[in-house]
Amino acid sequence: QVRLVESGGGLVQAGGSLRLSCAASGSHASIIAMRWYRRAPEKQRELVAAITDGRYTSYAESVKGRFTISGDNAENTVYLQMDSLKPEDTAVYYCNVVDVLNSIYWGQGTQVTVSS
């Protein structure tokens, strides 16, 4: 059983920064992709950023140039550095991990609130 534990959410003023972390523990095959999703109130879930093979990154257009995803394969941890935060970034952020067997795991979510 794989467990993903997220941390780093909170309340920040517009223009501020937060760093989210997601650590995977438990028995699992090799992780090939780590992603961050978010869901804002009354909106659909959105893929925010992804990292595959520990180095290939992609971002939603809305966060390009402001968010940075990184991963530590040895620690099975993925980070999301969020800078220049905007009120529209307010959402619950979820960590998502895919292993080489295509098993998908989700974290419990962490709230990010950006005040104007």
Side-chain angles (χ1 to χ4, degrees):
Q1 187 71 23
V2 175
R3 183 171 178 238
L4 300 181
V5 178
E6 298 149 342
S7 60
L11 173 64
V12 65
Q13 288 188 332
S17 298
L18 285 173
R19 188 188 195 214
L20 305 183
S21 300
C22 174
S25 62
S27 176
H28 56 80
S30 296
I31 293 173
I32 59 173
M34 294 181 169
R35 305 162 183 154
W36 286 96
Y37 286 80
R38 68 185 180 187
R39 175 171 280 165
E42 301 181 356
K43 291 188 177 180
Q44 289 191 334
R45 185 176 63 196
E46 174 188 25
L47 177 59
V48 175
I51 183 167
T52 56
D53 294 333
R55 52 182 171 167
Y56 302 107
T57 59
S58 60
Y59 299 91
E61 283 297 323
S62 58
V63 306
K64 275 184 181 178
R66 300 188 298 120
F67 289 12
T68 303
I69 188 170
S70 60
D72 185 333
N73 286 348
E75 299 289 333
N76 287 327
T77 302
V78 61
Y79 305 95
L80 186 67
Q81 177 67 41
M82 305 185 294
D83 299 318
S84 302
L85 283 161
K86 304 175 181 179
E88 50 264 44
D89 294 318
T90 295
V92 178
Y93 285 71
Y94 297 90
C95 171
N96 168 288
V97 165
V98 183
D99 68 21
V100 71
L101 300 177
N102 274 332
S103 296
I104 301 173
Y105 306 97
W106 289 90
Q108 80 284 357
T110 185
Q111 176 71 46
V112 171
T113 302
V114 184
S115 63
S116 56

